[in-house]
Amino acid sequence: MLPSERSSSELEVDIDAPEDPPPPPPPASSQNPEEKPVTWLSLPRKSQLIVLTLCRFSEPLTQTSVASYLYYYLASFHPPDKPAPSAGTISRQAGIMASSFALAQCLTGVLWGRLSDKIGRKPCILFGLAGAAISVIGFGFSGNLAMALTFRILGGCLNGNVGVLRTMVTEVVVEKKYHSRAFLIMPICFNVGIIVGPAIGGVLADPANTYPGLFGGVEWMRKWRYALPNLASAVFLCTSMMLGFLFLEETLESKRYRNRTDIGLKIVVGSASPSSSSASICTIPIKPKKTPVRPILQETFTKNTIFTLIAFAIVPLHNATFMHLWGIFLSTPRSQTPPSSPLAFTGGLGLPASQVGLAMSYLGAIGILLQLIFYPPLQAKLGLLRSFRISSMIFPISYLLTPFLARVPSSSPPSQPASGFLVWACIVGVLLLQVTARTFALPGSVILLTNSVEKRAVLGTVHGTGSSLASGSRAIGPVTGGVLYAAGLEGGVVGCVFWVLAGIASVGAWWAWFLKEGRGLVDDDDEEEGGSGRV
């Protein structure tokens, strides 16, 4: 229930309550043995999860919309009176473009995590959405590669929302039994973004030439051919920022009692109940029962946390590189010469931006189906750690098979885009493997990282560190992958980079056997009573 839906009496009860909301989960011994199974509808605090979902959804939407036209966007920077750039050149530029954003996030992720531990989660979320909106507008109106690169770096520096949002989900949904579903919200948002984002990018890119009858006479669309999809992304970001401003509640323990200073919530509450009783919630100062003590560095990064952070970084190293190369591989012109051997071949599928967007959307569609229907029951049956290990072993198979899509018989000649039922069936088959692995690995790694943290005071810091490491992987992977992909194209072995990804994923599958599942957050009072001596 959103703040505007509460009655004034309910709001007064929230303020007068001496205990921290939400209450800690009861001990396992007191659980009802006939407790109903966890479902999506049984998740607690659904209104806040919805707001978090909307804040998260806008970002993958803006990032993935670029993938469908990035190849052609970069090619547009080259003067028309000069020879067209090679696919290898564009691949290297695309890798730099993708890595710049992730590298900026890597360098600032820990800072955003620590800042959220100090000033609160909500201000960081709103500032991140605003920074993303500014960057995408500048990116859409960039006239050269340097300008576009500058705005991508700016967007990465101003946005540390991934780690902060994960922290908020942990603080909103306290009980571990709900985590298998609650932590699917972020990956589901990513998959929905993969569906909607490339579709928006593919449909709105270069509108003057795509729809000459409608936009052919619009001068700014002819000059800024890829501004329209970025303007649409900015609208989504600003809408999410406004919803977060009005409805998102602070979850940081030391700040959650000070909603009286939250202008957005005051506006909502004032509109819903302008009586004096509702005004009282903005004037009564309530403080937490005690100030949490920040643990030292050794207590923040335990052995299990460090091991989990390494696994947390390996997954995006190969997954983000595949996501980046997938659109480039689909856009690369097909080879005009027959392969010299089973492994020595080159070229991609030569698909136009609209079909690349469709193929990218398959990633999200398959992912959503798996996450909503299959992941929760299978994770409950297999266990968190076991499901993570199994999914880690599926990644290498999908990467080994990917380059052979260029060898699938097509119903069209090599000078035209690949087509036919067999081509698209193989595309879906490879995606099914990769998305299945990702569906289990990504939320599993987040839950494992969350469970490795036992102190609320450092939860934002650990998630910020994890976000920073993941961003570092996303920075290193695409730029290195772009260089290897270009070398493979020029050397006649386009599969080289994908087989390297298979090797990295195999290392990740091996490392997963060193992980342990932690017990998660421990209430400070319980620790003191138990005499742990670590507070």
Side-chain angles (χ1 to χ4, degrees), residues 176-194:
K176 291 176 67 175
K177 67 178 183 179
Y178 296 113
H179 283 181
S180 65
R181 281 176 166 79
F183 281 102
L184 277 179
I185 292 175
M186 302 295 112
I188 287 175
C189 290
F190 181 77
N191 281 320
V192 174
I194 288 180

Side-chain angles (χ1 to χ4, degrees), residues 114-153:
R114 293 186 66 85
L115 187 63
S116 73
D117 281 337
K118 182 174 293 186
I119 68 172
R121 319 298 189 200
K122 181 173 180 176
C124 294
I125 294 295
L126 298 182
F127 193 88
L129 291 171
I134 294 171
S135 68
V136 297
I137 293 175
F139 185 78
F141 286 94
S142 296
N144 53 64
L145 181 63
M147 187 176 178
L149 195 61
T150 299
F151 278 105
R152 290 289 286 176
I153 294 174

Side-chain angles (χ1 to χ4, degrees), residues 37-122:
V38 175
T39 65
W40 289 105
L41 293 178
S42 67
L43 285 175
R45 308 201 69 195
K46 287 184 279 292
S47 63
Q48 285 301 292
L49 291 176
I50 290 173
V51 179
L52 290 173
T53 298
L54 294 174
C55 291
R56 175 60 177 141
F57 168 68
S58 58
E59 293 182 69
L61 182 145
T62 60
Q63 298 302 320
T64 57
S65 68
V66 178
S68 60
Y69 61 82
L70 181 60
Y71 185 94
Y72 306 98
Y73 173 79
L74 294 173
S76 69
F77 290 145
H78 295 268
D81 57 342
K82 294 184 179 181
S86 66
T89 299
I90 294 179
S91 174
R92 282 187 285 266
Q93 292 177 349
I96 295 172
M97 190 68 66
S99 297
S100 62
F101 180 87
L103 180 60
Q105 280 192 325
C106 172
L107 297 176
T108 58
V110 176
L111 297 177
W112 282 111
R114 293 186 66 85
L115 187 63
S116 73
D117 281 337
K118 182 174 293 186
I119 68 172
R121 319 298 189 200
K122 181 173 180 176

